[in-house]
Amino acid sequence: MLYYEDIEVGKVTSFGEYKVTREEALDFAHKYDPQSFHIDDEAAAKTHFGRISCSGWLSAAMMMRMVVDNMNANKQAGLGSPGVDNLRWLKPVYPCDTLHCESETLSKRISRKRPYMGILKGRITVLNQNGDRVMTMESTGLIEVRGD
């Protein structure tokens, strides 16, 4: 199990692989973000995207899937998150892209009110198959303190 004490400030970790499908992009957009450049080939071709692009909210959801898969694979003693800051969509994500993540721990401290809980600040960067940064966000994570 990976606890607060095991987290190193400044460490960058690469993880995940998510292949974006056209079907998933269209399905998500129709349900949650039905803007023409997410659902209509002809309309999207006339925009600066040039073709159908994924909703930024789908990009965030795909990132979250990779983050949770990574946490589960590393058996992290995570306790959730009170939120994120500075979410930015830097470049479009398109169907057929393959995404992966880089995570950097920016700071950590033990909660004053709950000393069994560590508070981590981190930055997650999502990159496409060309190494282009497509999304960034800063997050606060909560993690169990081993207490050794």
Side-chain angles (χ1 to χ4, degrees):
M1 189 68 73
L2 187 69
Y3 293 93
Y4 172 84
E5 293 85 347
D6 304 315
I7 305 297
E8 297 176 44
V9 173
K11 183 175 181 180
V12 177
T13 305
S14 295
F15 59 89
E17 179 176 279
Y18 198 103
K19 295 182 185 208
V20 183
T21 67
R22 177 179 169 84
E23 179 181 278
E24 183 176 24
L26 290 172
D27 184 51
F28 185 95
H30 278 287
K31 286 181 182 176
Y32 305 110
D33 192 358
Q35 297 181 73
S36 61
F37 46 84
H38 294 322
I39 61 173
D40 183 297
D41 288 304
E42 208 171 288
K46 296 175 185 172
T47 69
H48 63 282
F49 295 114
R51 58 190 165 119
I52 286 189
S53 64
C54 295
S55 168
W57 297 111
L58 175 58
S59 299
M62 293 182 288
M63 178 272 313
M64 191 67 209
R65 181 61 201 227
M66 288 185 281
V67 167
V68 172
D69 286 349
N70 183 59
M71 287 172 52
N72 290 340
N74 291 302
K75 298 185 178 9
Q76 186 172 330
L79 298 171
S81 171
V84 301
D85 296 302
N86 302 318
L87 173 63
R88 297 286 181 262
W89 296 299
L90 306 172
K91 286 192 170 191
V93 171
Y94 296 104
C96 298
D97 280 353
T98 300
L99 306 178
H100 67 279
C101 295
E102 288 181 354
S103 176
E104 179 182 6
T105 303
L106 302 173
S107 67
K108 70 179 201 175
R109 68 177 177 83
I110 294 178
S111 171
R112 289 182 290 272
K113 292 182 181 178
R114 298 181 181 104
Y116 61 87
M117 184 182 292
I119 302 170
L120 308 173
K121 295 280 188 177
R123 180 182 305 110
I124 296 176
T125 302
V126 180
L127 302 104
N128 66 17
Q129 67 279 357
N130 300 317
D132 297 327
R133 296 170 52 221
V134 298
M135 190 181 104
T136 59
M137 82 172 191
E138 294 174 8
S139 64
T140 301
L142 307 175
I143 188 168
E144 238 181 283
V145 172
R146 184 185 308 110
D148 35 56

